[in-house]
Amino acid sequence: MSWDADVTIIGAGAAGLSLAVHLAGPLSGSGRGPRVLVVEAPPGPLRSPERTWCFWEVGGGPYDHLLERTWDRLRVYGPDGMVVDRSLGALRYKMLRSSRFEEAMSERLDRSGVAVRQLAVERVTDIGDQAVVRGHDAAGIARDLRSGLVFDSRPPRRLPAARTTLLQHFRGWFVRTSKPVFDPSAAILMDFRLPQPARGLAFGYVLPTSRHEALVEYTEFSPAALDGAAYQRALSRYCGDVLRLGEYEVCEQEQGVIPMSDGRLPRRHAHRVYPIGAAGGATRPSTGYTFAAIQRHSLNLAQAVRAGRSPARVPAPHALRARTMDAALLRALDTGRVDGAQLFTRLFSSVPAERVLRFLDGDTSLWEDIGVGLRTPAVPMLRSLLELPLLRRSAPASWPVPH
């Protein structure tokens, strides 16, 4: 038995749903849209847990009605306790829970006549003039889905070979305190008042939604993730010794691992099969931010498909200049040539926060990039950049999963 479509999208997360909505929605100059089918894994270990996505954009956006909270100020705490408190100007830092986004996008797709089916995908192949998605549905029945194009958001089994690979790994607690200890007017983007790992950096991250409630995270950039007990100790120390929350209740928990690598992810898996989302290079290697790049890339892909152009001609989610700067920064952090806590504190204290965020999003001009670069340790960063062509890419590692 088969379900047929012009486009099959594997995965009903941020990347899959965003692309499906852009394909189903009206685009200027287009006629009838393609027939789109979205497949997601049946309930179980193949499905992603609840997640929190954060991004920044100018003013209002299409998902503002779904947001948990927005902030127009950010704070960064240096290792010595110095606080950098900055306005974001026209930008807004936004917090979105995956469950609200996925529910809203699924409703939009349903109104547009786009089906979302459950399928545990086993393989995707090109056969003649079609791509075939093969797997089993929730009842265990084998299914073949045939379409002209497939966009696959599943993470690859292995990371690409790279000169540097660090992991951004974190655990977050949604806490409720007995006393009003949080300031909901500003988000704490990085708090370096924590012990630092031998390689990489560690920081706290606080998104206050009220005087009594916040998402509090412990995050590391380092070669390997921690075990559960280590995250527990780090978060308890941060909440107690640094933030001094007093009595608090942990209402919910989230955890994740994001690869930070200068490896080259493939732009396509087969003639008609294209990776999207993190698998398609949407994650910014130096920060782990992904959601905003997914939105840009999804729109560009949808416009290409609706216009009859090959998705292979759509630019990568991040430009070459941004990826090169990321590779140099990862190398500098991994070798210990730069102190990550000092570097990011100095950036936010000497450059307007709006420009730093645009820089992190790859939205700055060459001259702005040079200006930001001059606020970093010039010699170790330049050395890391110049040696990149001489470094060998190591064998790929397994795609990380949370402990």
Side-chain angles (χ1 to χ4, degrees), residues 78-80 192 339-347 349 375 377:
D80 59 357
F192 293 108
D339 183 316
Q342 296 289 352
L343 182 148
F344 282 105
T345 303
R346 181 178 177 182
L347 271 185
S349 63
R375 268 70 173 189

Side-chain angles (χ1 to χ4, degrees), residues 144-339:
D144 279 3
L145 313 180
R146 300 178 182 274
S147 56
L149 290 171
V150 171
F151 294 97
D152 191 350
S153 67
R154 296 173 302 160
R157 294 182 181 275
R158 303 190 71 82
L159 294 172
R163 294 164 297 202
T164 307
T165 298
L166 294 175
L167 301 179
Q168 179 182 158
H169 50 100
F170 58 90
R171 178 176 287 183
W173 287 344
F174 289 85
V175 302
R176 182 181 297 114
T177 61
S178 58
K179 296 180 179 180
V181 295
F182 295 114
D183 177 4
S185 69
I188 300 177
L189 189 68
M190 291 179 166
D191 187 342
F192 293 108
R193 296 173 294 174
L194 292 169
Q196 296 297 306
R199 290 169 60 189
L201 70 157
F203 57 90
Y205 177 56
V206 183
L207 300 180
T209 55
S210 73
R211 295 284 291 166
H212 291 267
E213 296 171 308
L215 169 60
V216 180
E217 283 191 356
Y218 172 81
T219 301
E220 274 194 21
F221 297 177
S222 59
L226 307 177
D227 60 28
Y231 290 117
Q232 185 81 14
R233 290 192 298 271
L235 269 170
S236 296
R237 185 186 305 120
Y238 183 50
C239 289
D241 299 342
V242 178
L243 297 178
R244 300 186 182 280
L245 300 185
E247 294 184 3
Y248 63 89
E249 173 190 5
V250 178
C251 305
E252 194 178 342
Q253 176 177 290
E254 68 176 25
Q255 184 169 327
V257 182
I258 303 171
M260 304 175 68
S261 164
D262 66 353
R264 301 188 186 103
L265 286 162
R267 297 294 305 281
R268 65 202 301 179
H269 293 325
H271 181 63
R272 299 175 180 277
V273 183
Y274 297 85
I276 56 173
T283 299
R284 185 71 193 267
S286 62
T287 65
Y289 283 100
T290 306
F291 188 81
I294 282 175
Q295 300 310 307
R296 294 192 298 268
H297 196 226
S298 296
L299 180 58
N300 290 338
L301 287 171
Q303 289 174 332
V305 172
R306 295 288 290 266
R309 300 193 306 270
S310 170
R313 300 175 60 184
V314 173
H318 297 289
L320 177 60
R321 188 171 82 233
R323 299 198 306 270
T324 301
M325 291 187 296
D326 287 346
L329 176 59
L330 289 176
R331 177 68 177 171
L333 288 173
D334 192 41
T335 58
R337 290 177 189 148
V338 301
D339 183 316

Side-chain angles (χ1 to χ4, degrees), residues 160-164 261-264 327 388 390-396:
R163 294 164 297 202
T164 307
S261 164
D262 66 353
R264 301 188 186 103
L388 289 177
L390 307 176
L391 299 175
R392 182 178 180 181
R393 295 180 184 271
S394 62

